[in-house]
Amino acid sequence: MGRNLSVPRPGRGARGQALTEFALVVPMLLLMIVGIMEFGRAWAMSQVVTDAARQGARMAALLNDSSAGQDSVRRVVIRALQAGNINATNQMVAIDNGWKAGTNTPVGVTVSVPYDFGVFRPVMQLAAQSFNDGTITLRSRAVMRNE
């Protein structure tokens, strides 16, 4: 019985293995954390755009005038976007009135608001084939009846 059955002591090999595993896991963990943060930021901006479209549609439904009210609707949408920290200086706002068949009476209004959301640039460089120039277009459309 000359075999030595002693328990191996942790030494330099175990420490090096832990360091290697840590070096392999950290980049994936950081990428996952940044992805979660960017998704949260995109979700928040999407909610701001949705709210702006809803406020614009409400204003357009109350004004019930297709020509004079469009500037007021655009101002309401831009104000709502700016309140959500979105630079809305060159924002496109589409306003479309629905008309009752055969009459000149509007029955509803649709306000569409697109927004180009700039995703975290280093992440987008990794996925350059999927998205054009690091932006995702968030769109929202609100429809309301005229009152």
Side-chain angles (χ1 to χ4, degrees):
M1 304 236 199
R3 291 192 309 177
N4 185 0
L5 297 175
S6 65
V7 178
R9 293 180 304 171
R12 289 180 54 186
R15 200 173 4 168
Q17 179 184 355
L19 184 61
T20 302
E21 290 173 359
F22 181 74
L24 291 173
V25 170
V26 165
M28 291 184 288
L29 182 65
L30 289 175
L31 189 61
M32 189 173 72
I33 289 171
V34 167
I36 290 170
M37 289 177 10
E38 285 299 300
F39 179 79
R41 200 168 67 92
W43 186 269
M45 291 297 126
S46 174
Q47 295 302 309
V48 169
V49 171
T50 299
D51 183 56
R54 190 177 302 122
Q55 287 184 26
R58 180 71 179 145
M59 175 63 79
L62 288 174
L63 291 176
N64 202 7
D65 186 299
S66 62
S67 59
Q70 287 192 359
D71 288 335
S72 297
V73 171
R74 282 190 177 85
R75 280 194 301 272
V76 166
V77 170
I78 288 173
R79 201 173 318 131
L81 291 173
Q82 288 172 342
N85 292 327
I86 291 180
N87 183 7
T89 54
N90 56 358
Q91 194 64 35
M92 300 286 294
V93 178
I95 304 165
D96 183 32
N97 286 327
W99 301 95
K100 191 180 240 182
T103 66
N104 204 15
T105 307
V107 293
V109 64
T110 302
V111 175
S112 301
V113 180
Y115 172 66
D116 290 331
F117 174 73
V119 182
F120 193 63
R121 299 294 180 200
V123 174
M124 292 313 297
Q125 289 174 352
L126 294 174
Q129 296 83 15
S130 301
F131 303 104
N132 295 335
D133 82 27
T135 61
I136 299 172
T137 302
L138 304 174
R139 288 185 176 86
S140 184
R141 189 181 92 185
V143 180
M144 291 199 182
R145 307 181 307 155
N146 285 342
E147 295 186 8

